[in-house]
Amino acid sequence: MTVTEAKHRNRLGRLILNSNLVFGGLIILFYIMRGFDDDEFTELLKILIPIKTAYLTALTRYVVANRNVIGPKEGDDDLRVNSLFASTSYIMVSVHISTLITAVSLYALFNMIDFKDLINIILGVETFFGVYVGLIIASMFKVETDEK
C-alpha cells in the first residue's frame, strides 16, 4: 500500500514534533519530581537541546516555508512513497524516541542505571539513529527555494 508523499510528510512531521515535545516534557516532569538533580538536568539539556534543535529546525523551516499552502501542491497527489520507505521512516523515528524515553525513565524513575551510563546511552542512540533520522528528515522536509 502506498501513500502520497504529502500525506506521509504530514504524518511523519506530526510524529516527530509530538514525540519530541513529549520527550522534552517528560524530562521537565522528571526534574520537577526530583528524578534529576540540578547538575544532571543541566547536563541533559546541554546534550539534547542542540541535537533535537537540529531535527526540529528542518521540520520548522518546511512548515514556515509552506505556511500558505492549504492543499497538496501541484503534482504532490502524483508523488507516492513506497511502503518500505514509509514503514522504515516511522519505525526509525519511533524506536529512536522510545529508546530515549525508556533510558531517561529508567534513570529518573527507577534509578536502574548510573547517570554516566544514561549519558552514554543517549549519545549512542543519537549517534546511531541520528544519522538515519536525519536522512529521513532531510529527504522529507527539504525546503526548495525559487531562484529566479
Side-chain angles (χ1 to χ4, degrees):
M1 184 174 138
T2 61
V3 64
T4 64
E5 187 169 322
K7 190 172 283 191
H8 179 66
R9 184 184 305 115
N10 288 339
R11 289 177 184 165
L12 187 64
R14 284 186 182 98
L15 174 63
I16 292 167
L17 179 63
N18 291 333
S19 63
N20 279 284
L21 290 175
V22 166
F23 181 53
L26 277 176
I27 290 173
I28 293 169
L29 179 65
F30 291 157
Y31 173 67
I32 292 169
M33 293 171 46
R34 294 291 172 217
F36 302 113
D37 63 27
D38 293 342
D39 292 335
E40 292 168 341
F41 182 69
T42 303
E43 186 70 24
L44 270 178
L45 293 182
K46 284 180 187 177
I47 292 170
L48 289 171
I49 287 176
I51 295 169
K52 296 303 175 191
T53 300
Y55 295 152
L56 295 175
T57 297
L59 173 63
T60 304
R61 278 188 68 200
Y62 180 84
V63 169
V64 169
N66 293 286
R67 67 190 173 276
N68 296 326
V69 178
I70 303 300
K73 291 185 199 176
E74 187 176 320
D76 263 1
D77 282 336
D78 301 333
L79 296 175
R80 301 218 176 263
V81 294
N82 67 44
S83 59
L84 179 61
F85 178 81
S87 61
T88 300
S89 57
Y90 287 125
I91 290 169
M92 291 302 251
V93 170
S94 298
V95 171
H96 173 227
I97 200 72
S98 63
T99 303
L100 292 173
I101 288 172
T102 301
V104 168
S105 298
L106 287 175
Y107 177 79
L109 295 177
F110 305 110
N111 232 2
M112 293 180 70
I113 56 177
D114 293 332
F115 187 72
K116 288 182 181 180
D117 293 335
L118 173 64
I119 296 301
N120 288 334
I121 290 169
I122 289 171
L123 292 174
V125 167
E126 289 296 346
T127 300
F128 180 76
F129 285 105
V131 172
Y132 301 112
V133 171
L135 285 172
I136 291 166
I137 290 173
S139 73
M140 292 302 297
F141 300 103
K142 62 183 173 235
V143 176
E144 298 171 13
T145 58
D146 291 333
E147 295 182 18
K148 292 183 182 181

